[in-house]
Amino acid sequence: MLLVYGSYMPIRILEEIRFWKMQEKEHTVVIRQIVPNLELPYAAMLQAWEPVFARTEQMADQLIQKALPHPAALPPGFQAQTDALLQAAAKQSRTFAEQLTALLTVSPAVAGSPIGVTVVKHIIRESEYFLNALATLLEPRPQEHENENDAASVDAQQSDETEEAGFRRGIAEEDEGSSRSDDSGRAPVQSVPIGGHTLPPLPYSYDALEPYIDTMTMRIHHDKHHQSYVDGLNKAEKELEKARKTGNFDLVKHWERELAFNGAGHYLHTLFWNVMSPKGGGAAVGPLAQQIQKDFGSYEAFKKQFSQAAEKVEGGGWAILVWSPRSRRLEILTAEKHQNLSQWDVVPILPLDVWEHAYYLKHQNKRPEYITNWWNVVNWPYANERFQEASKLVWAPY
């Protein structure tokens, strides 16, 4: 696994620490909100964790900012600092999970609240997922590869970098304040300027989904979590714009990853608020109900598969019903976190395959050479046709 990220490995670990400590910090608040009659000693215990997680998150962010200008030549002692923070973060999560496990039995307030028990168990799994994720990141290189030559090492690194590349955004970015209209004669639609995404308002009040989804959860979820993805997406877009202007793409992997994570989080949440309604529930209706019947056999079969998929997503993530224009049928997909270095609610226009099987016979490990040659065979008329069709989809800009 160390070959996957190369010199970016410490930054990758720090990103994981920063994200999960932010989550654990928020989890202390969630438990206290879910179990408002929590006994004072246990409430105080959770409250004491909040600044600990916040400080660890802050330290991880400081180290990331310190490393970003020169990821290939980290300052002296940086690796040791990262390792020390990793050990501290892991110890925090283990202790936090152990305390929450005990809380399930020693706290009458938690034990007496079915939703409280469910939430605490979920949060325990989240912290355990953090520990498992970091264990995977730190997985040592197999012994038999230790003495391989440099070319083989480069090949392995490039292969894994391919998985990180994912789809790049296919639709060209437009200048700030620009607008366009489609062929249907509709009024011009305002585009979102680079770094100009905003938090969409809820289409209903915070308490509208009670008793199924509580008011406090909706406030935290929308106002805090979704806003953080909007902020992260704007920052990533601006940093990539800066890279294009300066020609310095040393950090392109980092900012593409941030673009994918935060962009997918923003787009999925924007859809999520709208697929819920105070007047919702019941079975599917209309043409969608007919397609579900055709593709899954019955609504109940679809609902069972969707529920099972959602239940078994590793760590935080999503279950998503999607339409495949290629196979012309509905599918159920899952996503850990929000993405696999792609974004939802977008249409691919111009994909480039950089798996090794696409170029290795001719170019061996010389991927840049393959990419240079690829530009000579791009079918722009076809890409333009896809763009014209995709551009007919117009959603509200946020």
Side-chain angles (χ1 to χ4, degrees), residues 202-216 218-219 273 276-280:
L202 285 177
Y204 35 74
S205 63
Y206 291 106
D207 63 352
L209 304 183
E210 294 271 12
Y212 306 106
I213 301 180
D214 63 282
T215 304
M216 185 56 67
M218 289 299 295
R219 286 188 180 277
W273 308 131
M276 299 186 293
S277 168
K279 299 179 181 179

